[in-house]
């Protein structure tokens, strides 16, 4: 039955390293271009790890087409805003300070021995890993280029991280979560244990939100948006037979992520939301390879994602479904005339997104 209430939409962006961020960018660009909907206008934008970075840029008004142009080198790198899209992993920077030996979190390590059933397999390992040697400062700088305030202009942006002492999930930006500045929250969500340094917020340390789940789709179960669109780089409905040890490991990770994603989608559906899942195809997996932190594959992954998600939207009911959502501001949906990007004010665009939407009924369920 149709409802007179405006339709509430959630956007969930999963983890996936450098190449996961590239895939998310390409997928979001395809959605905006094909449907006219601005993904950043969703009532909730929830990001984990790479998804937290891409989601933060969206929440600050950086459109997917701009992220694409910047990644492909089609913008002026002398302009700070032209580099705002970058997930700063082209060159890693060592953390300043003495290297760490021993477990990065003794409390989590010992808790994993006493009560292993309370933690995910990734969290069981994370506590025993040493603190990572790579600084998260470049990640913070990337976010700070587009947000000079304490938080994103989008009131419903959440960055998922993990408390490094307890292993518990934290949704920074959500009511009741510890206060944090946006750059710190995003960096915490991206801080892979043993690789990146843990991020200290309010005298506690936080690491990658993917320790709990690569998707964290079920974080929206309490809020129950009418429609939830989840893009998950770490899972896939398609995969070739693995040929190498790295491919076997990657397949096992994707299968585990996919099972978790399916359980979360069912929980959210039971709570009353309709869920759309968009995942990499076999062509995307070929472009990604088994090393999701390989920056040299980024451009190919991005361009492949644009094509595969465009095809998916045209060939399935999902494209028609998303096209029923309210259209976004033109500058946030499609690339303006050549050179016009230099005049864009991302903060103003983010704050100008429509709050009051035209009435619409609930959409039909679509799980893909």
């Amino acid at each position: 039955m149709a409802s007179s209430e405006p339709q509430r939409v959630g956007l969930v962006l999963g983890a996936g390293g450098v190449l996961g961020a590239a895939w998310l960018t390409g997928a979001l660009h395809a959605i905006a271009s094909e449907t006219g909907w601005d993904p950043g206008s969703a009532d909730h934008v929830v990001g984990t790890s790479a998804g937290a970075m891409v989601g933060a840029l969206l929440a600050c008004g950086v459109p997917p087409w701009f992220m694409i142009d910047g990644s492909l080198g089609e913008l002026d790198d002398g302009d700070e805003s032209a580099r705002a899209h970058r997930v700063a992993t082209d060159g890693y920077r060592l953390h300043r300070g003495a290297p760490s030996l021993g477990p990065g979190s003794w409390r989590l390590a010992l808790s994993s021995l006493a009560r292993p059933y309370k933690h995910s397999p990734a969290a069981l390992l994370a506590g025993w890993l040493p603190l990572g040697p790579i600084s998260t400062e470049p990640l913070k700088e990337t976010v700070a280029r587009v947000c000079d305030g304490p938080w994103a202009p989008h009131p419903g942006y959440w960055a998922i991280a993990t408390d490094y002492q307890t292993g518990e999930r934290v949704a920074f930006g959500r009511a009741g979560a510890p206060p944090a500045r946006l750059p710190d929250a995003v960096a915490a969500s991206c801080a892979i244990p043993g690789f990146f340094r843990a991020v200290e917020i309010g005298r506690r340390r936080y690491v990658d939100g993917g320790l709990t789940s690569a998707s964290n789709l079920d974080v929206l179960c309490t809020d129950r948006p009418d429609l939830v669109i989840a893009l998950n780089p770490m899972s896939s409905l398609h995969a070739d037979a693995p040929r190498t040890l790295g491919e076997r490991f990657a397949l096992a990770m994707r299968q585990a992520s996919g099972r978790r994603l399916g359980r979360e989608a069912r929980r959210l559906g039971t709570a009353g939301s309709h869920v759309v899942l968009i995942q990499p195809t076999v062509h995307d997996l070929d472009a990604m390879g088994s090393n999701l932190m390989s920056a040299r594959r980024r451009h190919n992954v991005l361009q492949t994602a644009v094509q595969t998600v465009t095809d998916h939207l045209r060939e399935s009911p999902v494209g028609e479904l998303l096209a029923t959502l309210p259209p976004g501001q033109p500058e946030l949906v499609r690339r303006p005339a050549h050179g016009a990007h230099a005049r864009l004010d991302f903060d103003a665009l983010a704050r100008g997104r429509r709050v009051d939407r035209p009435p619409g009924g609930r959409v039909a369920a679509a799980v893909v």
Side-chain angles (χ1 to χ4, degrees):
M1 180 179 296
S3 169
S4 61
E5 295 297 322
Q7 186 172 282
R8 294 176 303 116
V9 180
L11 177 70
V12 179
L13 307 175
V18 174
L19 299 186
W23 182 84
L24 287 169
T25 302
L28 290 168
H29 178 63
I31 289 172
S33 299
E34 283 296 304
T35 69
W37 177 65
D38 166 24
S41 69
D43 298 89
H44 297 281
V45 177
V46 180
T48 300
S49 198
M53 174 62 76
V54 175
L57 298 183
L58 271 183
C60 291
V62 182
W65 66 259
F66 189 93
M67 300 184 208
I68 291 235
D69 284 2
S71 183
L72 298 179
E74 297 177 5
L75 299 174
D76 178 13
D77 274 348
D79 181 353
E80 278 294 306
S81 66
R83 295 184 285 128
H85 73 287
R86 295 189 188 278
V87 179
T89 48
D90 286 335
Y92 296 114
R93 185 189 308 171
L94 290 176
H95 175 77
R96 292 180 179 179
S100 173
L101 300 176
S105 173
W106 277 106
R107 181 173 170 181
L108 181 58
L110 295 177
S111 174
S112 70
L113 287 179
R115 294 179 293 275
Y117 54 87
K118 289 187 61 178
H119 304 289
S120 68
L124 291 176
L125 174 64
W128 293 98
L129 294 173
L131 289 174
I134 305 302
S135 172
T136 57
E137 289 305 312
L139 302 176
K140 298 178 186 180
E141 292 165 6
T142 297
V143 177
R145 291 189 190 114
V146 297
C147 182
D148 57 6
W151 199 252
H154 193 305
Y157 170 73
W158 302 345
I160 308 299
T162 302
D163 187 312
Y164 205 22
Q165 288 184 283
T166 65
E168 295 177 350
R169 176 169 66 184
V170 177
F172 287 112
R174 187 176 190 174
R181 291 184 61 83
L182 183 65
D184 294 332
V186 173
S189 184
C190 295
I192 302 170
F195 185 79
F196 283 116
R197 201 73 165 187
V199 176
E200 187 170 318
I201 299 175
R203 297 187 179 182
R204 294 185 74 88
R205 290 180 299 164
Y206 296 90
V207 291
D208 198 324
L211 292 189
T212 303
S213 165
S215 45
N216 287 298
L217 181 60
D218 57 343
V219 77
L220 287 174
C221 282
T222 302
D223 297 86
R224 295 179 295 176
D226 300 308
L227 170 67
V228 177
I229 304 154
L231 281 66
N232 198 52
M234 286 291 293
S235 60
S236 178
L237 295 176
H238 314 280
D240 288 334
R243 294 160 299 198
T244 66
L245 183 61
E247 289 178 352
R248 291 192 186 97
F249 178 75
L251 177 61
M253 291 286 289
R254 290 191 179 281
Q255 289 175 331
S257 177
R259 289 191 293 270
R260 175 73 189 229
L261 179 68
R263 291 194 298 270
E264 292 172 354
R266 288 189 291 274
R267 282 191 62 197
L268 197 53
T270 301
S273 297
H274 298 311
V275 182
V276 170
L277 304 180
I278 299 178
Q279 305 173 72
T281 68
V282 66
H283 303 294
D284 296 301
L285 298 184
D286 287 343
M288 289 181 180
S290 57
N291 180 10
L292 292 177
M293 300 300 286
S294 175
R296 66 183 179 85
R297 289 176 172 258
R298 185 176 59 200
H299 295 171
N300 187 30
V301 169
L302 190 154
Q303 292 171 318
T304 302
V306 172
Q307 188 60 57
T308 58
V309 176
T310 296
D311 291 343
H312 177 59
L313 294 173
R314 291 176 179 177
E315 297 168 1
S316 75
V318 174
E320 183 177 350
L321 176 70
L322 299 189
T324 65
L325 297 174
Q329 299 177 62
E331 299 90 345
L332 293 173
V333 172
R334 294 185 177 88
R335 183 183 292 105
H338 181 69
H341 73 268
R343 299 188 296 273
L344 295 181
D345 183 335
F346 292 140
D347 185 73
L349 288 171
R351 296 182 187 280
R353 287 176 170 130
R354 286 184 298 176
V355 176
D356 296 322
R357 299 183 179 181
R362 288 177 178 266
V363 297
V367 179
V368 181

